[in-house]
Amino acid sequence: MYRVRLWSVRHARGLNAFYRGFESVMVACSGLWRLIGYQRLERPMAAAERLVKGVLFDCQMCGQCVLSATGMSCPMNCPKQLRNGPCGGVRADGHCEVLPQMRGVGVEAVAGSARIPGGAQSLAAAQHAVDRRLQGKSSWLRIVREKTERPS
Ligand code: SF4
């Protein structure tokens, strides 16, 4: 929901801190996730992620979350799906050139990043293009695996 999405950017600092804590808990539970099996967990975890992040960020389940680097403004809500915004088409009032009824997703990313310690540096780092093979998958589980499994 658009209003909630804007609220999340306004509260980017707190949400980012919560997210960091949540990530630590998820990583600390990696033994349990391994025991249950990542394959088995994928569907319920993705469903929970879709529900929570859908409400807070209008998450599109790209499977490679960059919210912490984009001021809690989900780049997949940009009509051009730019991860390195704002684009050059932002209107003078900060609204999107494609969907003038909404604020530019990249503009919101700048505002949200300014509220997160180190957010401006994170936003300045170039983001990779979206890997469509991960669409619909849980970012939460992917991050845990990236942090706990050695590449084979
Ligand atoms: S970056 Fe991807 S996973 Fe993160 S909120 Fe946006 S669509 Fe969802």
Side-chain angles (χ1 to χ4, degrees):
M1 198 199 302
Y2 181 57
R3 279 177 182 221
V4 180
R5 196 203 304 176
L6 294 182
W7 179 91
S8 296
V9 171
R10 280 200 306 276
H11 296 83
R13 186 188 180 101
L15 283 171
N16 185 61
F18 175 81
Y19 231 76
R20 292 271 168 244
F22 177 69
E23 185 182 302
S24 303
V25 172
M26 286 291 289
V27 169
C29 293
S30 63
L32 176 63
W33 309 141
R34 255 196 314 277
L35 203 65
I36 298 171
Y38 284 107
Q39 296 271 36
R40 207 173 290 155
L41 278 169
E42 181 59 46
R43 279 183 72 174
M45 200 65 89
E49 188 170 335
R50 186 187 299 274
L51 182 70
V52 174
K53 288 164 67 177
V55 170
L56 284 173
F57 311 109
D58 281 341
C59 171
Q60 310 292 320
M61 290 299 286
C62 72
Q64 51 232 279
C65 199
V66 287
L67 280 173
S68 293
T70 56
M72 295 289 151
S73 173
C74 170
M76 302 309 282
N77 290 310
C78 164
K80 302 172 189 174
Q81 299 197 337
L82 288 180
R83 295 204 146 202
N84 297 286
C87 74
V90 175
R91 293 167 190 261
D93 62 358
H95 282 231
C96 171
E97 70 169 340
V98 181
L99 298 173
Q101 67 274 25
M102 76 171 197
R103 296 209 14 107
V105 168
V107 173
E108 286 295 294
V110 172
S113 296
R115 297 182 177 111
I116 297 173
Q121 291 94 313
S122 300
L123 184 68
Q127 297 296 330
H128 294 295
V130 179
D131 181 349
R132 299 286 176 191
R133 292 170 298 181
L134 298 175
Q135 181 68 42
K137 305 250 190 232
S138 168
S139 285
W140 294 344
L141 285 181
R142 195 179 63 81
I143 289 168
V144 172
R145 296 187 79 168
E146 274 178 8
K147 296 205 166 200
T148 57
E149 290 179 4
R150 290 201 195 128
S152 51

